[in-house]
Amino acid sequence: MNAADEYLLGDSALYGRLCLITELLGQFVASAPRAVSLAQLEQRTGRPARELVRLCSILCREQVLQVMRPDAGQPQSWTLACETSQLTLEDAFRCAVAEQASRARSARQKAAKAARGSGAEQQDAVHPEIGMLVMQATMGINQSVFQHLRQFSLDRLKVTAAGMFSSRRSSDDGLRAWPPARLSFS
């Protein structure tokens, strides 16, 4: 087995982003139809708020999540824009690709700005015939990948009963906060 077999399309960064976005969407699936706040996401994923806000913004732009308009004093929160049964790994993959493309665009813009400042010129070395052939292959591969990922609904991620129903109470205030939801495959 080759090292590239462990990653989606041989890209470890894309694989990692897909896993992260799937984990994030799993939190929304587990809480559906209720909204999930930024604080809840931070607690459940262990990720920094800045990264979570950026990812949720991408998920909103891709129409997977919708922002809940907070009332005065309410924390920022989001909810799924569709039923959990309609959400698939294809949606997560499209968001991961969009996020990766956004990062690449920013890097290209910074490089182009630096090149203009230094007077260096960029040269496109790809021959049109080669570009066309690779583009056709890429489109075929993408369609196949999307078709396969569409078969994996994220509603397969279920909240375990142990994570949802706790009967223990805290001695200080008589109530204990619900533990964070844990995800498992069914």
Side-chain angles (χ1 to χ4, degrees):
M1 189 167 170
N2 152 349
D5 293 339
E6 298 176 21
Y7 302 110
L8 186 65
L9 304 177
D11 186 341
S12 62
L14 179 58
Y15 177 83
R17 300 320 284 174
L18 177 60
C19 289
L20 174 60
I21 288 171
T22 302
E23 176 188 7
L24 191 61
L25 288 174
Q27 296 302 323
F28 288 96
V29 168
S31 296
R34 295 179 314 273
V36 179
S37 71
L38 180 58
Q40 290 170 320
L41 288 175
E42 280 182 290
Q43 179 187 14
R44 294 175 186 174
T45 65
R47 299 284 181 165
R50 184 176 179 187
E51 179 182 24
L52 292 169
V53 168
R54 186 176 50 76
L55 289 171
C56 287
S57 295
I58 289 168
L59 293 169
C60 287
R61 190 172 51 241
E62 295 296 316
Q63 299 177 349
V64 175
L65 293 182
Q66 55 190 12
V67 177
M68 299 303 293
R69 297 293 170 211
D71 296 330
Q74 291 290 337
Q76 186 172 13
S77 61
W78 302 266
T79 188
L80 288 174
C82 63
E83 294 294 321
T84 59
S85 62
Q86 295 174 337
L87 194 60
T88 67
L89 274 178
E90 179 188 15
D91 298 306
F93 182 71
R94 286 182 186 275
C95 293
V97 168
E99 193 258 349
Q100 193 174 40
S102 175
R103 286 176 174 232
R105 238 184 338 271
S106 294
R108 278 195 310 271
Q109 288 171 347
K110 287 178 185 176
K113 188 175 182 178
R116 279 191 303 258
S118 67
E121 293 184 24
Q122 290 183 323
Q123 189 175 3
D124 190 18
V126 176
H127 293 282
E129 304 85 27
I130 294 171
M132 182 63 76
L133 179 64
V134 172
M135 182 180 68
Q136 288 172 343
T138 301
M139 289 171 61
I141 290 167
N142 284 343
Q143 290 304 313
S144 180
V145 167
F146 292 149
Q147 180 181 5
H148 287 288
L149 292 174
R150 201 173 297 131
Q151 296 173 15
F152 296 93
S153 175
L154 294 187
D155 70 348
R156 293 172 60 177
L157 298 172
K158 301 238 188 247
V159 179
T160 61
M164 283 297 291
F165 305 107
S166 175
S167 60
R168 293 178 286 172
R169 297 204 177 252
S170 171
S171 57
D172 347 326
D173 58 3
L175 296 174
R176 182 183 172 128
W178 294 104
R182 291 182 283 157
L183 300 176
S184 67
F185 286 102
S186 59

